[in-house]
Amino acid sequence: MTYFPPPAEELRLLDTELRQLDVRRAHLLARRAWLVAALQQAAPPVAPGWPARPAPAASSRRPETGAAGVQNVLLLLGGILLTVAAMAFTLVSWGHLGIAGRSAVLGAVTLAVLGAPVALLRRRLRSTAESVAGLGLALTALDAYALHEVAFTAADGTTYAATASTLLAALWAAYGTALAALPGTAALRLPGPAALTVGQLALPLWAVAAGGGAHSVTAAALLTAAFDAAVALRIAQRPVRTVAVVCALATGGWGGAAAVGLSLDATGPGEAARAAALLVLAAAIALCVTRYAPHPGFTAGGALTAALCGVAGLGGVLRASTPGDWTVPGYLACGIALLAVVRGPEPVRRGVAWASGLVQAGAVLWAVPAVAVTVLGPVARLGHIWSGAPADARAAVTADAFWPPYAATVPLLLAAVAVVLATAVRDGEWRAQARTAAFALLCAAVVVVPVALELPYVVSLFVLGATAAALLVPTKPTTRSPWTAAGLALLVSLGLAFLSLATETATLTVLAVLTAMFAGAAWRGRAAAVSAGASLGWATALAVAAGAAAGWRPEHIALLVLVVPVVAAPVAPRIGDRVTTAVVEAVGAGAGLLAVGLAVFDPPLLALVLALCAVIAAGTAVRPDRRRVGYAAVALFVLASWVRLTAWRVGLVEAYTLPVTVPALLVGALRRRRDPAASSWTAYGPGLTATLLPSLAVAWGDPGWTRPLLLGASALLLTLLGARHRLRAPLLLGGTVLTLDALHELAPYLVQMTDALPRWAPPALAGLLLLALGATYEQRLRDVRRVREVLERMN
């Protein structure tokens, strides 16, 4: 709303203001000098020794808004209120006046408001003139509505709206031009953008009024967008240019989207050709923008839009002329052809390349469901294991899924995009990524071929197996990454394995081939970590399948599965790569857990499986870098013994605890021999506690005498050994257990003694004990310190 004059006029205004400020400043300085002199003459004397109090500084407050902001708000509110008042007068109070009064009032008010900016501009009130001009434009729109309600009530609404929008656009544009041409005035910024905005409705409304269909309305919208683009490229006024760009983008985008929709809905070549003509018009508009755009970004955007419109138009014609399976290939062919026909400056080439990339990405996304069904569909075979060979490859992957419609050409699409990526991308930074993507797309195309063409089931198995084998063949590093190839081979092999579950013969053959194939790849160093792990995994699956084919029970199959960790344990340390070694050991451990899970319902065989796993873990713990696996071996041995004892229905708790105590004491003795400074609690405490505490708990509830007697004898022997060798853990543990065991044996007699004594005897005995302790308190403290020192000297 604030007016910014031209540079020459602004310079003249600034010079005038500066001269006025100099005059005013001179007057103020003279007045200040006079006031200072007067105050010095009238000031009272200041007492010596007392400093004069400084005058408080005047607080300066910055205004929260500028004068221009206040002015714009006031003018905007005033214009809005006047416009609302005019609307209320037109819509509510119109009927109280006759036809002559109505015409006179509206005409006089409109002419007065439209003429007021002339006087305001001559007085250099630019912002006020803008506000009043906006009110005048709104009044002209109200005049058009009023004329329809009074004089043209029988006219068609659409035709009248088209006529009114056309006349208003012309009137507002002429009004702005006339004001700029008057002497002593400057151009207003509001009429031009307002005329351009209301002009967006003219051609579409005329098309609707003429009875045109969707094609005519779309053509009118595109022509309007072309006019907006021309205005944006040719008009120098910034407000008009900005509004023209916005209108061109909005109207052109709506028209282009409508043309694409008409092309997709076309039922024949004729309708598709008409929609293509509209898209060609949109492309021509975008090319004109590309030709005259002042910024490289607009040039690239125009080229992108033109290329996409061309692809949509030509692809729509091909869609209407070919079967449904070739719809997407037609669009893809048009998108790829863009790379061959593109010419021009770098922004144009970049925009066309982006358009081609978008078309190819859309084709790949359309093919993703078919690839997903091909790879993941065989997983449903887990619920139909060995149910018989399916009719063809498509039936094999769609047991519990559906094949996407018009997906027979998916392999062709993927192969075409792969070729483009491999040949068209020449940038050194993106060339490796493009080749990797092309390699993955080509692999997907080969995998989908049997399903898309409904080839026999055996052919699909052969194709997947050959693809996995080809991926594991060594090639030059520049052709493809070995890790990418190994990952794709593993993914293809998963689909092949699930697909082979249809028949027993196919399952055994496929699993054996996969095991040998990945083992060979690992032997040749082809992504050894992935290949070795996959080989052991397929060997495990082969063991399970072979056992099931032989009719074995799951617990017997577990013994066959243990062959995998038996092979993995000695092979792992001979591999030079640490990552591959870790993968082999991890897969072997997983096979061992699977064996344990298979044997869990047969305790004797479960004990045997656990013992074999313990032996394998103990063999692994012999290696210096795998010492910690020894803990797992001990735990497995203990679990195996417990399971065996449970199978034998052994109820003695010592039978379960002694297999833990004996190895723990042996390990503790070895540690004490290597490190004499090691604490006896660390060396012998866990082993002794594992047997003594459970036995003591059972002995307290045992009514017999055998267990308490043996426990007491063992605790006494342990106490004596601790005292003999000065070991704190055996001495304290043995003494504590011996004392508690003795209390357990003496408990009945203590109870009888308590019943025989009178009720006053226990309190009396307690009092005598406290008196005795109090009398010898100091001696007892010395005894306690002596005992503590003896224990501290023990190891």
Side-chain angles (χ1 to χ4, degrees):
M1 300 291 292
T2 301
Y3 168 64
F4 294 96
E9 183 181 356
E10 186 176 3
L11 181 61
R12 182 180 59 81
L13 293 175
L14 289 176
D15 292 338
T16 304
E17 291 292 336
L18 289 174
R19 285 194 298 270
Q20 294 178 357
L21 288 175
D22 291 338
V23 174
R24 182 63 178 170
R25 186 172 184 276
H27 173 71
L28 292 176
L29 288 175
R31 181 63 179 174
R32 180 181 180 279
W34 182 84
L35 290 174
V36 169
L39 289 174
Q40 289 178 353
Q41 295 177 1
V46 179
W50 293 90
R53 179 179 299 178
S59 60
S60 60
R61 296 183 179 179
R62 298 182 59 186
E64 296 182 357
T65 183
V70 175
Q71 171 189 341
N72 291 338
V73 171
L74 294 178
L75 292 176
L76 180 61
L77 291 176
I80 292 175
L81 292 177
L82 289 175
T83 304
V84 171
M87 292 176 62
F89 171 77
T90 304
L91 299 176
V92 179
S93 303
W94 185 260
H96 298 289
L97 299 176
I99 185 64
R102 299 171 186 176
S103 303
V105 170
L106 275 179
V109 172
T110 303
L111 290 176
V113 172
L114 291 176
V118 177
L120 294 173
L121 288 174
R122 290 179 176 176
R123 293 178 176 271
R124 298 176 183 176
L125 300 176
R126 176 65 178 272
S127 299
T128 307
E130 292 280 0
S131 180
V132 175
L135 176 61
L137 299 181
L139 287 177
T140 56
L142 293 176
D143 290 343
Y145 169 76
L147 288 175
H148 178 267
E149 294 296 322
V150 175
F152 301 101
T153 55
D156 178 64
T158 305
T159 304
Y160 185 82
T163 306
S165 60
T166 305
L167 294 177
L168 286 176
L171 176 62
W172 292 355
Y175 176 68
T177 304
L179 286 180
L182 291 176
T185 60
L188 292 179
R189 290 176 294 174
L190 186 60
L196 189 62
T197 303
V198 76
Q200 303 301 305
L201 304 175
L203 285 180
L205 288 177
W206 279 116
V208 174
H215 292 80
S216 300
V217 176
T218 303
L222 291 175
L223 291 175
T224 304
F227 175 76
D228 296 335
V231 171
L233 294 174
R234 294 301 181 185
I235 299 300
Q237 297 179 4
R238 185 173 180 179
V240 177
R241 187 170 64 247
T242 302
V243 174
V245 170
V246 174
C247 292
L249 292 176
T251 309
W254 177 80
V260 172
L262 292 174
S263 177
L264 294 177
D265 293 337
T267 57
E271 293 185 5
R274 295 175 60 190
L278 295 176
L279 290 169
V280 169
L281 175 60
I285 297 172
L287 288 176
C288 291
V289 172
T290 303
R291 172 65 178 81
Y292 297 102
H295 192 276
F298 287 101
T299 303
L304 172 65
T305 305
L308 291 178
C309 289
V311 170
L314 184 56
V317 174
L318 295 177
R319 182 194 64 82
S321 306
T322 56
D325 289 334
W326 295 95
T327 298
V328 179
Y331 284 104
L332 179 61
C334 297
I336 295 175
L338 291 175
L339 298 176
V341 301
V342 60
R343 296 293 185 273
E346 195 276 335
V348 175
R349 295 197 304 271
R350 185 171 66 249
V352 175
W354 273 103
S356 178
L358 289 176
V359 174
Q360 295 178 58
V364 172
L365 289 177
W366 182 83
V368 165
V371 178
V373 171
T374 301
V375 176
L376 301 178
V379 178
R381 285 288 164 187
L382 290 173
H384 311 281
I385 296 178
W386 298 348
S387 59
D392 52 39
R394 185 174 297 182
V397 302
T398 56
D400 292 337
F402 69 95
W403 183 250
Y406 305 118
T409 56
V410 166
L412 179 61
L413 293 175
L414 297 175
V417 177
V419 171
V420 172
L421 284 175
T423 57
V425 180
R426 297 184 177 87
D427 189 2
E429 181 180 358
W430 295 98
R431 187 171 180 81
Q433 290 83 348
R435 287 194 170 187
T436 301
F439 181 65
L441 290 176
L442 187 60
C443 177
V446 174
V447 169
V448 177
V449 166
V451 182
L453 301 182
E454 298 183 83
L455 298 179
Y457 170 68
V458 178
V459 175
S460 66
L461 294 177
F462 176 78
V463 170
L464 291 177
T467 303
L471 289 170
L472 294 176
V473 173
T475 58
K476 295 181 180 180
T478 56
T479 304
R480 61 175 185 254
S481 171
W483 291 100
T484 303
L488 290 175
L490 181 59
L491 184 62
V492 173
S493 65
L494 285 173
L496 175 60
F498 286 121
L499 194 64
S500 67
L501 295 177
T503 62
E504 177 181 333
T505 304
T507 302
L508 295 176
T509 304
V510 166
L511 292 178
V513 170
L514 290 177
T515 301
M517 185 172 60
F518 278 98
W523 182 264
R524 293 190 303 268
R526 182 68 174 171
V530 177
S531 300
S535 177
L536 292 176
W538 293 130
T540 305
L542 178 61
V544 175
W552 292 4
R553 294 175 58 84
E555 52 270 18
H556 298 123
I557 297 175
L559 297 175
L560 188 60
V561 173
L562 281 178
V563 175
V564 176
V566 168
V567 173
V571 169
R574 291 175 172 81
I575 301 174
D577 185 16
R578 296 179 58 184
V579 177
T580 306
T581 301
V583 170
V584 170
E585 292 176 345
V587 176
L593 290 177
L594 177 61
V596 172
L598 291 172
V600 72
F601 294 106
D602 190 343
L605 275 177
L606 177 60
L608 178 60
V609 170
L610 289 172
L612 293 176
C613 292
V615 172
I616 297 171
T620 304
V622 175
R623 295 161 47 190
D625 56 339
R626 293 292 187 270
R627 296 297 188 192
R628 295 185 177 181
V629 183
Y631 297 107
V634 173
L636 289 172
F637 274 122
V638 171
L639 288 176
S641 63
W642 286 358
V643 172
R644 174 57 63 182
L645 292 173
T646 304
W648 287 340
R649 300 182 183 276
V650 175
L652 292 176
V653 69
E654 288 78 11
Y656 295 91
T657 58
L658 286 177
V660 179
T661 297
V662 174
L665 293 178
L666 291 177
V667 173
L670 291 175
R671 181 174 181 180
R672 289 271 300 173
R673 177 175 296 181
R674 293 180 180 179
D675 185 13
S679 173
S680 61
W681 286 108
T682 305
Y684 305 118
L688 296 175
T689 304
T691 294
L692 291 177
L693 295 184
S695 298
L696 180 62
V698 175
W700 270 73
D702 191 354
W705 59 273
T706 305
R707 184 189 300 274
L709 178 60
L710 294 176
L711 179 62
S714 301
L716 177 60
L717 178 61
L718 185 63
T719 305
L720 295 176
L721 289 175
R724 171 69 180 80
H725 297 284
R726 294 186 178 184
L727 297 176
R728 187 183 304 174
L731 178 62
L732 294 181
L733 287 175
T736 303
V737 172
L738 180 61
T739 302
L740 294 176
D741 186 65
L743 288 176
H744 171 264
E745 293 301 314
L746 295 176
Y749 302 102
L750 293 177
V751 172
Q752 293 178 2
M753 185 183 299
T754 303
D755 293 338
L757 292 175
R759 295 184 179 273
W760 54 266
L765 292 175
L768 292 174
L769 178 61
L770 292 176
L771 289 175
L773 290 176
T776 60
Y777 181 73
E778 186 176 0
Q779 182 64 32
R780 297 287 77 75
L781 288 179
R782 286 197 297 267
D783 294 341
V784 170
R785 293 192 189 98
R786 190 177 298 111
V787 171
R788 186 180 64 184
E789 292 174 358
V790 172
L791 292 176
E792 288 178 353
R793 285 195 298 270
M794 291 184 178
N795 204 339

